[in-house]
Each structure stands twice: as structure tokens, then as C-alpha cells.
Amino acid sequence: MGEKGVKPCASRGFFSVLVHKIGGAPVVRLPMAHSFLVGSLIVSLLVGSAYYWIIVASFLKPDPDFVGCRPDSEGSWSIGIYYGKSPLSLSPIELQENRINANSSAWPVANPVLTCATLSSAGYPSNFVADPFLHVQDDDLYMFFETKNTITMKGDIGAARSSDQGATWQFVGIALTENWHLSYPFVFNYQNQIYMMPEGSKKGDLRLYRATKFPLKWKLEKVLIKKPLIDASMIQYEGFYWIFASDFTRSGTEKNAELEIWYSRSPLGPWLQHKQNPIYRADKSLGGRNAGRLFIYGGSLYRPGQDCGSTYGKRVRLYKIEKLTKDEYKEVPVELGFDVPKKERNAWNGNRYHHFDTRQLQSGDWIAVMDGDRVPSGDATWRFLIGCLCLSFAVSVIAFLGFVGGILKSVSPLSYCSILFRRNESGTFRSYPRFNLKLRKFFNGGHKSRFCLREKMNPKTWLGTFIISIFSLMGLAFVCVGVQFLFGGNGAQQAYSYKGQYSKFTMVTMTYEARLWNLKLYVKHYSRCESVREIVVVWNKGTPPDPSEFDSAIPVRIRVEKVNSLNNRFKLDPLIKTRAVLELDDDILMTCNDVEKGFKVWRENPKKIVGFYPRLIDGDPLLYRNERYARGKNRYNLILTGAAFMDSEFAFNKYWSEEARKGREFVHKNFNCEDLLMNFLYANSSYHNSDYGRTVEYVHPAWAIDTSKLSNVAISRNTQKHYDIRTKCLAKFKEIYGPLPIEKLEFGMRRDKWDK
């Protein structure tokens, strides 16, 4: 029994309700959290933390070049460059064989060529760069673009210069800044002067600036049109200057869908409206809003426009203008003439590209700049909202489990929680009999529900265990998804820059018909990695597949071999157009992020074998052991080339040299050890050439799945037999080439700890 006139109620339940007297008045004690709820919260926090450190953090290794670039609801725009014989048929810089950086930091140079990191590393913090316009001056190219300042969160106009036809760009400074947002810096020549007509609609007008000291000093020349026009482009055509622009004040269905035309005899004005204004005003997908400079090609006038149907700046549409007078206007859509990216978020322009500017060079060829984004508009905001929503659901599920756990652990029925008072005793509840009755009915109903839940969710029954397990998994899943959306970035496994540049590599894998199912999975996965340019399949045996059978975002080339030999892995291939090659077995799966890390490490060390499977070769005689042995000794001196980057020219020529002939014959005879031979050849070259130094470098993958352990067609299925053969190979190669003259390297020597 409790206090006088009071009965205890479910004192061990999730809710403990007591009615007692304080100073003569009955009071309801507030609910108290049960230990089951606290335990659920602790488990959820531990799972969320573990998920972050094991999964999320492995994809968030910071790229030093990107310090200063912050997530922005407007996107993560970058700028790429394209070339072609025609503005209607352009290809990216990485497909140009003559765009090779002499210092070996990029071969070939790849898009994007200008990012927020370019500016941030120069001391001008930027969230993104977009709206690029080219200006050709003698042998130099200048690019003017919008940069969103990380501190002020408004757009400024930046400038960059290239002296090698666009392969590399140097940021020269901020060309124009105002107290309001600036973008779309349309630059043109007129009467030996250079003018800029940027968007500054927040000021309420369209302004013209003149360069006083090109490219960084500009002076306001005049206000052209007293109207908040955006994305204004100008062109001289058939005796008039024409401005194509959109009215910023439009809203609803007309926002990003409206197009106006103005004309004048001079770029300095006065400007008059076209008779048909507005030309467009309803459909955002039609490309009414400009997407760059108008241009003339083959006697025809073309206008790029933005398709904003599904999201802002989804893509560039191109229109051929068939009629343009003061009273009439007609245009028809034509193909832009460049390959649409297929790598989605893993490509710098995989989700959006909304600006296009092309110019003709003195050589007669055409060059173009285009911006791109890997995420849709508002992606950062949506990720935050979804993450918060998932965590809210997780808290709700955990609270429900805590509530149920409390009910299941209750001792006394809730119906015992009666509010009883002595008949001769006055009290607050007794003064309100209707409320007292409702309270009794509530607790009696809770009693019935409690026993129903207790019967169905009793953990001692299989049904109860199943239901509680489902709810527990739901809660933990919501925690992990919430952590992913809040802290996991934009979901892209993007390339790492080196010295401010990006590049491409070729993947080479060797297989045959019995492993075709594995190859299809391999191609589908790795073709989405950003830096992969081509996948070459060395087909050793059987009927080769057609490349169209693969779900690939990049070209796949099948190289059929006449002889089934492991030496084919390193065969000279003049069709490979990249310096870097990733030799990766078709039964190894790892994340694109780990592949990109390995590529960056190789670009820092292009004369080394950079790979993901280290070994320590020591002892007398030499013994081949697994990675566990190397970890135990905290040393390694060999990298398996079944998952390694290397210089295609040096490595393949070395492997097929006369020096390596005896080694190749031994490999072919034993159908094993081609990777060991390559390490001996690298080491031998290093021994005689001090420029090479250490010849291997290890990169630790977040995870890697070796599916050969599940296959009956792998040469390494019998591990001990495989190791015995490789030990014999070590003895043979030592006999031919001498001992491995390689310094034993420790794990974790890199500053970024990618080799830990």
C-alpha cells in the first residue's frame, strides 16, 4: 500500500502515474522515461556514429584543393572546355590527343578546367563558378565568369587566363564587384574598346561597363535599359544590334520561361522593344531564358537557351533563328552536338549544364566553354530536410519501442491506477465528477490496449520477436539514412584534382567467357567512376561479347587475343590514349572513391606502381605470404598488379623488352606470377636509375570484395597451392634479375593516411 488514500500504479511501467496529496490537493505525477527508451537511444547513437565513421567518413576524405568550397543550395557549378571543327560538333578536352600537359600532372587534361577550388586556393573563397564567357586576345584566352563569394554570398565577376589554348587556366583576380549580385558577364569588342554587360538585376537595370585596364579594371559606361533584365546577350546582325534577355520580375509559370528582344543601331543605345515581346512566357522547357552568347555559323544565326523544365538550368537547348526583324521572330530547335554525360552525380556536369559560349580561333577551329553541375538545384536544402525528417522518424520509432517496452515490463494493470478518495474527504478531482469518470475510462481502455500489445509483441513469442525486430531495424535504418543525408555530402564519388587539374585513365581487365556475368557487373560499376575514360577487356578465351551487351557510361573495347596467356595483361596497345592505366581484375569490386584516391596518388608518383593489395617479400629463401603478414610486420615492398595503376608506356614496354623474355616464358608456362614479374622489372629499373627511387605505393581501400573466392574458375581458388607456385616464381625471378632491391615501406606514411 502507498500513502493514505492512494494506490500505486504500474510503478515499473514506461509511465508511472500516481495520485497523491500535496497540501490536501491530489496531484498527477508526470510520466518518467523508462530505461528501455534510454537504452534504445544509446544503441541508436552508437549505430549512427559507427555508420558515420565506417561508411560516411570513408567518402569524405577532404581534397586539399577544395578547401573553401562549401555546399550551396544553388549547386556546385564548375567550368569545362570543348573543341571542334564546328560549333555544332564539339568534344571535351580529355578527348583531344594534343592536349597533353608537359609536366605529367595530367595526361590528358580533363574537364573541369576551372572550379571553386581554383579561386579558393588563390585566396578568393568561392562556392562555385558559372556563366563563363570567352574573350580572345592575340594568343591568349580570357575567361570571365560568375563566382559566388563564400563570405558575402553574392556573385562577383572573376577572370582567368590561358596561354595554351585552354588546357590550363590561371585565375588573375576579381574583375568586377558591386554591392549587389553580379553574374552572366557578357564581354564584347566595339570600336577598339572592350565592354562587359553583366547581369545585375537586383539593381533594377541593365548596365554596361568599359575596361580601363583589361582584364581587372572596369568603369560604368552607362545604363542601357532601365529594367531588371537577366542573362542578356548582344549580337550584331543585319544592320542592327540585338539584345536577347529575360525579365527578372516574372513569376509563376513565366519565371525562367520568358524571352524579350531589344534592338538598336549602336550597342550604346537607345534600345527599343521588339514588337512581339515577350517572345516566350509560359513553358520553362522551351529554352526562353538565354544560355550564352548567340553566334553565327555557316551564315545562320544560333541562340542557346536554358531548359528549366524539371530543375533550373537542366540543360542547354540550341535554336537556329530563321527570321529576325523589328517586327518578326522565328527560331527552330537544332542539335547542340555534344555527348550528354551519363555518369550522373559522378560527373562534374552529370546533372545540369546551363551555359554555353563558343568562339572561333585563328586556326579556323572552334572552342567553347560550358558550365556544369553534378547535383540539381536546391540539392543541399533537400538533403538537410530529408536528413532531419529521417532522424525524426527514427526518434518516433525509438519512442514507440520504449513505450512498448515499458508496457511489457509493467507489474500492475493500468486499471489499478484508480483515483480513490475517502468519501468524507474533499478533493480537486471529486469536485469534477465527469472528469473523474473520463479519467477512469481512459485508464481502463489503456489496460485493455496494454494486454493486447503484451500478447502480440511479447518478445518470448516468435511473432513478438519478429515485430520488435522489424521496428528496431526501421529505427536504425532511419538513423543511418538521416546521417547519410546530413553528413554524407552530395552523394557523388568525384575525382580528386592534382595541381588544380583533372585527368583520365584507362581500365584494363583480363577475362574469358566463363566469367562474362562478372564482367557485366564490373563494367556497369566502374564505367560510372568519374576519371575512367575507357574500359579495355583483354579477351583470352572463347567467343567474345558484343560491346553493346554492356550497361556502360563510357566506351568498352574488347581486345581478342590469339593465345591464352597472362602476359596479355601488359600487352602493348597503341589504342590506349591515356598515360595512366588501372590494371584491375574483373573479380574485384571497390568504391569509385577508392579508385579516384588511387589515381590521385599515382599522379603524384607516376613512376611507381600504385595499388591496393600490398605484400611483404622477405626471408631466405623468399616466401610469398598474404597481406596479414605484411600488416603484422608493418612493412610492404610489393604491390599486386591485379589492382594497380601504372605508366602504360613505361610498364608495357618494359614488360615486353628482351630483358623480360625469360620471365614472360616462365609466367606463360605456369599461368601465374605476371604481377610479380612486373614488380621485379620496376625494381630492377629503379636499381639502375636513381630517378625512380621507391617503386611501389599503397592505397588502402575502404572496402574491396574479391569475388574470386566464390568462383570455381579462379586460378587462386586453392590458396595454398597458389602461394606455393608464387614462391617458386620468386625464386626464379631472383635467379634471373637478382633480389628485390626495394626499400620496405611502412604503412601510414602518407600525410592523408590513405595508406594506413
Side-chain angles (χ1 to χ4, degrees):
M1 295 293 292
E3 299 179 32
K4 187 177 182 180
V6 182
K7 288 190 177 181
C9 119
S11 59
R12 292 178 58 195
F14 177 66
F15 294 110
S16 297
V17 182
L18 290 176
V19 179
H20 62 102
K21 294 192 298 181
I22 298 180
V27 179
V28 179
R29 182 174 296 176
L30 296 177
M32 299 178 62
H34 193 275
S35 59
F36 191 88
L37 174 61
V38 177
S40 299
L41 289 171
I42 292 175
V43 170
S44 299
L45 289 174
L46 291 175
V47 171
S49 300
Y51 180 82
Y52 175 83
W53 289 111
I54 296 174
I55 303 298
V56 176
S58 65
F59 293 95
L60 295 179
K61 297 292 185 181
D63 184 345
D65 292 335
F66 274 82
V67 174
C69 300
R70 298 179 183 176
D72 196 294
S73 61
E74 292 189 62
S76 56
W77 297 94
S78 301
I79 298 173
I81 194 162
Y82 296 77
Y83 303 87
K85 298 294 183 181
S86 159
L88 306 181
S89 180
L90 298 165
S91 58
I93 188 172
E94 55 263 28
L95 298 185
Q96 310 296 313
E97 295 184 18
N98 58 337
R99 309 293 174 181
I100 298 175
N101 192 318
N103 66 12
S104 298
S105 66
W107 183 17
V109 178
N111 282 327
V113 296
L114 195 72
T115 69
C116 58
T118 310
L119 280 67
S120 298
S121 60
Y124 296 86
S126 170
N127 280 1
F128 63 78
V129 291
D131 293 354
F133 282 96
L134 286 172
H135 179 78
V136 182
Q137 190 174 78
D138 300 325
D139 294 330
D140 290 334
L141 293 175
Y142 287 88
M143 186 196 304
F144 294 87
F145 51 89
E146 172 196 354
T147 169
K148 188 170 184 180
N149 189 292
T150 304
I151 300 172
T152 65
M153 295 301 288
K154 68 178 182 66
D156 298 322
I157 304 303
R161 180 178 60 242
S162 174
S163 300
D164 54 8
Q165 296 296 297
T168 57
W169 291 86
Q170 177 188 4
F171 174 67
V172 296
I174 299 298
L176 185 63
T177 183
E178 296 283 12
N179 294 327
W180 55 90
H181 175 84
L182 296 175
S183 62
Y184 205 85
F186 182 86
V187 178
F188 65 97
N189 286 323
Y190 176 66
Q191 293 184 349
N192 298 321
Q193 297 289 329
I194 303 175
Y195 292 91
M196 181 192 298
M197 185 176 63
E199 175 199 323
S201 57
K202 296 292 185 181
K203 189 65 176 176
D205 52 32
L206 180 63
R207 299 184 167 209
L208 184 68
Y209 296 80
R210 179 173 54 85
T212 58
K213 189 175 181 181
F214 186 83
L216 296 181
K217 297 294 184 181
W218 299 81
K219 177 183 178 182
L220 177 63
E221 186 72 9
K222 66 180 303 184
V223 175
L224 295 180
I225 301 174
K226 293 183 178 180
K227 190 175 184 179
L229 297 178
I230 58 175
D231 295 355
S233 292
M234 183 189 302
I235 191 166
Q236 184 181 13
Y237 183 71
E238 294 188 348
F240 287 94
Y241 285 87
W242 305 85
I243 286 181
F244 289 71
S246 300
D247 186 353
F248 181 72
T249 61
R250 301 285 181 175
S251 60
T253 58
E254 297 183 9
K255 187 175 179 63
N256 295 327
E258 197 250 14
L259 175 65
E260 297 182 5
I261 300 176
W262 300 66
Y263 62 92
S264 173
R265 291 289 184 180
S266 165
L268 303 180
W271 291 90
L272 301 174
Q273 289 204 52
H274 193 276
K275 186 177 181 180
Q276 292 185 0
N277 276 353
I279 305 300
Y280 299 125
R281 62 183 304 172
D283 191 343
K284 297 179 182 181
S285 65
L286 288 179
R289 182 169 177 172
N290 281 332
R293 188 191 308 268
L294 285 80
F295 61 91
I296 297 174
Y297 174 70
S300 298
L301 180 60
Y302 294 86
R303 182 186 73 88
Q306 294 186 44
D307 178 351
C308 297
S310 58
T311 184
Y312 168 71
K314 178 61 178 177
R315 62 173 178 150
V316 175
R317 287 181 176 270
L318 190 62
Y319 293 90
K320 181 179 180 180
I321 299 176
E322 295 187 336
K323 187 166 233 182
L324 176 58
T325 67
K326 293 184 292 183
D327 302 319
E328 297 179 278
Y329 181 77
K330 182 182 179 182
E331 64 181 15
V332 294
V334 296
E335 291 296 323
L336 181 59
F338 95 110
D339 292 334
V340 177
K342 300 177 182 178
K343 298 186 179 183
E344 300 176 339
R345 291 189 180 224
N346 285 357
W348 68 277
N349 59 346
N351 208 294
R352 297 187 289 170
Y353 50 97
H354 84 331
H355 186 96
F356 173 77
D357 182 43
T358 184
R359 305 298 297 269
Q360 189 170 23
L361 301 172
Q362 292 180 354
S363 63
D365 292 342
W366 290 76
I367 185 173
V369 286
M370 185 180 294
D371 61 11
D373 192 2
R374 61 180 76 245
V375 298
S377 179
D379 182 75
T381 302
W382 278 109
R383 290 200 313 270
F384 176 77
L385 293 177
I386 294 174
C388 291
L389 186 62
C390 287
L391 291 184
S392 299
F393 284 148
V395 171
S396 300
V397 172
I398 292 168
F400 174 75
L401 288 175
F403 173 73
V404 171
I407 289 177
L408 296 177
K409 291 185 178 182
S410 298
V411 174
S412 302
L414 288 174
S415 60
Y416 289 174
C417 298
S418 304
I419 305 176
L420 302 175
F421 302 95
R422 296 181 178 179
R423 293 179 179 272
N424 59 353
E425 184 178 9
S426 61
T428 303
F429 287 103
R430 193 163 174 174
S431 303
Y432 302 94
R434 290 186 179 179
F435 180 75
N436 194 7
L437 181 61
K438 290 181 179 180
L439 200 60
R440 287 171 181 269
K441 290 182 177 180
F442 171 78
F443 282 117
N444 286 332
H447 167 59
K448 295 178 182 179
S449 301
R450 169 180 170 274
F451 274 101
C452 181
L453 282 173
R454 193 169 191 174
E455 180 181 351
K456 292 184 178 298
M457 300 188 66
N458 190 338
K460 294 182 180 180
T461 66
W462 71 268
L463 180 60
T465 301
F466 176 76
I467 294 175
I468 292 176
S469 299
I470 291 297
F471 276 97
S472 300
L473 291 175
M474 285 175 56
L476 297 179
F478 279 128
V479 168
C480 293
V481 173
V483 169
Q484 181 68 50
F485 274 94
L486 288 175
F487 307 107
N490 58 22
Q493 299 184 55
Q494 60 195 66
Y496 292 84
S497 67
Y498 175 59
K499 294 184 178 180
Q501 289 185 311
Y502 295 87
S503 188
K504 297 286 183 180
F505 64 88
T506 301
M507 291 191 71
V508 177
T509 189
M510 186 167 59
T511 189
Y512 58 102
E513 60 184 356
R515 296 157 68 105
L516 181 59
W517 63 273
N518 210 45
L519 180 63
K520 290 183 177 180
L521 178 64
Y522 176 99
V523 169
K524 181 177 181 179
H525 173 65
Y526 289 115
S527 69
R528 269 72 180 179
C529 298
E530 184 165 11
S531 297
V532 182
R533 171 174 169 167
E534 180 190 31
I535 296 178
V536 177
V537 179
V538 180
W539 195 260
N540 260 3
K541 185 174 67 174
T543 303
D546 190 285
S548 62
E549 295 182 32
F550 299 102
D551 177 6
S552 179
I554 58 174
V556 176
R557 178 163 57 91
I558 310 296
R559 196 180 78 201
V560 181
E561 300 294 345
K562 296 179 180 179
V563 178
N564 183 14
S565 172
L566 293 184
N567 291 321
N568 294 333
R569 179 193 295 275
F570 304 120
K571 193 171 183 179
L572 293 167
D573 189 342
L575 296 181
I576 292 178
K577 302 300 182 183
T578 64
R579 180 181 181 188
V581 164
L582 172 59
E583 293 276 357
L584 187 63
D585 290 344
D586 65 337
D587 52 15
I588 295 177
L589 289 179
M590 63 180 70
T591 67
C592 286
N593 186 60
D594 288 326
V595 171
E596 296 291 356
K597 287 193 291 186
F599 185 39
K600 181 180 181 181
V601 174
W602 179 85
R603 292 180 67 197
E604 297 170 351
N605 307 275
K607 296 180 179 180
K608 296 182 181 180
I609 298 175
V610 176
F612 304 94
Y613 289 90
R615 294 291 186 269
L616 177 61
I617 306 301
D618 62 1
D620 189 14
L622 296 177
L623 294 177
Y624 183 85
R625 301 178 177 93
N626 59 20
E627 183 177 340
R628 191 181 302 112
Y629 176 77
R631 291 286 182 180
K633 296 288 187 178
N634 194 32
R635 295 284 191 279
Y636 69 94
N637 61 356
L638 184 143
I639 293 292
L640 300 187
T641 58
F645 286 92
M646 60 191 69
D647 183 332
S648 60
E649 286 194 356
F650 171 79
F652 294 175
N653 278 291
K654 191 72 175 176
Y655 193 87
W656 288 92
S657 65
E658 178 61 25
E659 173 191 359
R661 180 175 56 81
K662 291 184 178 180
R664 292 197 308 273
E665 292 173 353
F666 191 83
V667 167
H668 182 68
K669 178 181 178 181
N670 291 274
F671 209 77
N672 206 323
C673 303
E674 81 286 358
D675 51 350
L676 302 183
L677 175 57
M678 181 63 80
N679 275 267
F680 269 88
L681 294 174
Y682 259 77
N684 184 266
S685 177
S686 171
Y687 185 74
H688 295 290
N689 188 346
S690 60
D691 291 340
Y692 271 70
R694 300 180 310 190
T695 59
V696 294
E697 192 85 16
Y698 169 63
V699 176
H700 177 66
W703 56 263
I705 301 175
D706 184 357
T707 60
S708 67
K709 304 302 181 184
L710 309 175
S711 171
N712 59 2
V713 293
I715 64 172
S716 58
R717 183 171 176 82
N718 187 329
T719 303
Q720 189 56 53
K721 182 179 179 181
H722 177 62
Y723 281 20
D724 291 343
I725 294 175
R726 294 173 79 80
T727 295
K728 293 179 181 178
C729 291
L730 292 173
K732 183 64 175 179
F733 295 155
K734 180 180 178 181
E735 175 187 333
I736 300 174
Y737 304 107
L740 280 174
I742 304 178
E743 177 186 351
K744 295 179 176 64
L745 307 175
E746 294 183 7
F747 294 100
M749 294 177 62
R750 287 181 59 87
R751 184 177 179 182
D752 53 26
K753 300 303 179 183
W754 286 356
D755 59 340
K756 188 65 174 175

